[in-house]
Amino acid sequence: MVMDFLLERYTKKEPITQNAMLNVISRKYEQHFPEILSRASECVELVLGLELKEVDCRTLVNKFSLGVEEGSSDEEELPKSGLLMELLGIIFMKGNHTSEEEIWDFLNVLGIHAGKKHSIFGEPRKLITIDLVQKGYLNYRQMPNSDPPGYEFLWGPRAYAETSKMKVLEVLAKIQDTVPSSFPDLYDEALRDQVERAGLRGAARVPIMAEASAPTRAKSYSSSHI
């Protein structure tokens, strides 16, 4: 009930107050309110990537800076970043590619089934095999040498550009109520990914810095010959 209330307030862009939530659960459960709110906000964060924050009043904010919501024509559509991060996590955990069957096994646990319209995510098969593929977050391809033909998922180029293996591992760890380092192999790979990304960023800055310093050197050379 509290989850539904939080999502309704989010889509309508309305503030979230404690009194309003207490009215939802009734005063009879007021003593359990902290635990109820904690569980509801955790579910919303894990499934949708929405984090409950308190400034002047409580509000839900999108925790993941992904562009997966771009192009939505429905202002009240709920974000899909949380689900996408979990899918990327499953792919990472399975060796950076995973079969379609394994993806559906995971989604079924969340109550998301192929061919059955979901109240939040719409038609799931279209979402993961068309929408997220066209937006570049997932790569959906036939598995090599599979007979009968089977399909698998990999990270798409926008997933690599907008998130990282460490961020995805943090989501996986939170689902398991643990820390990223408790998955030593995945943690080591995520660290290597961070180092490689840092190296690429550094390499990209070198030509820019060299180009910027060239006029300075030229100016110094000219000055020394005046």
Side-chain angles (χ1 to χ4, degrees):
M1 291 166 64
V2 172
M3 281 182 63
D4 289 342
F5 171 81
L6 293 175
L7 297 179
E8 181 183 6
R9 288 297 172 102
Y10 174 81
T11 56
K12 293 182 177 179
K13 298 179 172 58
E14 294 178 351
I16 299 166
T17 64
Q18 182 168 321
N19 283 336
M21 285 187 283
L22 286 173
N23 288 333
V24 168
I25 65 174
S26 83
R27 297 284 172 175
K28 181 171 63 173
Y29 300 106
E30 185 171 355
Q31 61 179 345
H32 302 294
F33 174 73
E35 182 182 358
I36 292 171
L37 179 60
S38 175
R39 291 189 181 188
S41 58
E42 183 175 319
C43 288
V44 169
E45 180 179 338
L46 291 176
V47 177
L48 297 172
L50 295 175
E51 185 176 16
L52 188 65
K53 287 194 172 183
E54 186 167 358
V55 189
D56 297 327
C57 62
R58 291 184 177 91
T59 184
L60 285 170
V61 296
N62 201 326
K63 185 178 180 180
F64 306 114
S65 55
L66 301 177
V68 66
E69 325 303 345
E70 291 174 359
S72 172
S73 59
D74 186 353
E75 291 185 358
E76 295 190 353
E77 184 175 339
L78 290 166
K80 300 176 177 65
S81 300
L83 180 64
L84 173 59
M85 289 292 282
E86 293 179 14
L87 291 174
L88 295 175
I90 296 297
I91 295 169
F92 176 37
M93 186 173 66
K94 297 291 186 178
N96 298 308
H97 60 94
T98 186
S99 69
E100 182 174 5
E101 181 181 0
E102 289 173 318
I103 288 291
W104 284 114
D105 286 343
F106 167 72
L107 291 175
N108 290 344
V109 172
L110 298 180
I112 302 172
H113 303 277
K116 183 177 179 182
K117 187 172 182 180
H118 191 270
S119 59
I120 294 174
F121 302 113
E123 209 296 296
R125 183 174 294 281
K126 177 178 180 294
L127 174 65
I128 67 172
T129 64
I130 297 177
D131 297 345
L132 294 178
V133 173
Q134 289 180 347
K135 289 186 176 184
Y137 289 103
L138 295 178
N139 185 358
Y140 179 61
R141 70 182 189 186
Q142 185 173 335
M143 298 169 65
N145 305 317
S146 58
D147 186 22
Y151 291 83
E152 64 181 359
F153 288 91
L154 299 84
W155 283 30
R158 284 190 72 176
Y160 282 105
E162 296 181 15
T163 190
S164 68
K165 291 181 178 180
M166 186 60 76
K167 289 180 181 177
V168 163
L169 185 57
E170 289 170 357
V171 173
L172 285 176
K174 186 153 191 174
I175 293 172
Q176 298 291 330
D177 195 24
T178 184
V179 294
S181 57
S182 64
F183 305 94
D185 292 341
L186 296 178
Y187 188 66
D188 287 345
E189 184 175 344
L191 286 174
R192 290 196 299 272
D193 179 62
Q194 284 187 327
V195 171
E196 290 171 4
R197 287 168 179 265
L200 288 174
R201 286 195 295 268
R205 283 198 295 267
V206 169
I208 297 173
M209 293 174 65
E211 185 177 335
S213 63
T216 304
R217 290 196 300 270
K219 184 176 180 180
S220 300
Y221 178 82
S222 299
S223 299
S224 65
H225 286 74
I226 292 176

